[in-house]
Amino acid sequence: SQTIHQWPATLVQPVGSPLSLECTVEGTSNPNLYWYRQAAGRGLQLLFYSVGIGQISSEVPQNLSASRPQDRQFILSSKKLLLSDSGFYLCAWSSGTNNEQFFGPGTRLTVL
Amino acid sequence: GENVEQHPSTLSVQEGDSAVIKCTYSDSASNYFPWYKQELGKRPQLIIDIRSNVGEKKDQRIAVTLNKTAKHFSLHITETQPEDSAVYFCAASINNAGNMLTFGGGTRLMVKP
């Protein structure tokens, strides 16, 4: 069966510091991968998605970037965090042939 | 692009009553409509979905209906229990290369014992 991992689970960072969040999927190949952000008490905002290695599409312009160095690895990065980057970051995957998306456990980021 | 509206934003029901959450979508090409349940501090969990070739789907106490003509779909929970309390999100998707989901704003369901 498929499993999706995210780390770290929680992170507290100062404003202006860099960020790297990692997501990996097991048990499937060539998945579609997605990064979402959820502000406290709010809905899900799609940040990036990827249909293959090295292929990244950005949905919202911001100071974040994403990379997919391996088939089942998706990384979210920032060079300088802003206070507004605080939130719950969720990675998700789908098979590419099926619309069903499954979420990872998330990373709770607090920028101080 | 697709726009999904979800109502109500909050819903309070008595244990044992039914709950209904409604969503409308804008893009007639959308053909996949999932519902997610998110408990406090946890990840969204897919609880039921429906595709455009079906008008209704049921799984125990949960059912989803789809009206393609009116472009709306609804989640029905019968015999609600306190553990049904959570935020529920609807979404819509077109079956394309990215299979991206557009989410509604969420409904906070509170089931009072």
Side-chain angles (χ1 to χ4, degrees), chain A residues 19-35:
Chain A
L19 174 73
S20 181
L21 303 181
E22 191 164 345
C23 170
T24 58
V25 182
E26 296 177 355
T28 186
S29 58
N30 197 30
N32 287 348
L33 296 172
Y34 310 85
W35 278 113

Side-chain angles (χ1 to χ4, degrees), chain A residues 2 8 13 16 41 56 58 65 67 73 90 102:
Chain A
Q2 298 83 13
Q13 291 285 95
I56 308 294
S58 174
S65 62
S67 62
Q73 184 184 31
L90 290 154
F102 301 96

Side-chain angles (χ1 to χ4, degrees), chain A residues 6 9 38-39 41-44 87-91 103-108, chain B residues 36-46 83 85-89 108:
Chain A
Q6 286 187 247
Q38 188 176 34
R42 304 296 295 275
L44 295 155
F88 192 37
Y89 287 81
L90 290 154
C91 181
F103 286 88
T107 295
R108 193 163 302 280
Chain B
Y36 288 84
K37 175 184 180 182
Q38 187 178 29
E39 296 177 350
L40 190 62
K42 301 290 182 63
R43 75 184 87 182
Q45 297 270 18
L46 178 65
E83 50 265 39
S85 296
V87 178
Y88 291 81
F89 291 97
R108 183 173 301 278

Side-chain angles (χ1 to χ4, degrees), chain B residues 7-8 11 13 18-22 35 74-77 107 109:
Chain B
H7 300 281
L11 179 60
V13 300
S18 295
V20 181
I21 302 170
K22 298 181 180 181
W35 286 89
S74 301
L75 178 71
H76 305 254
I77 306 174
T107 296
L109 174 64

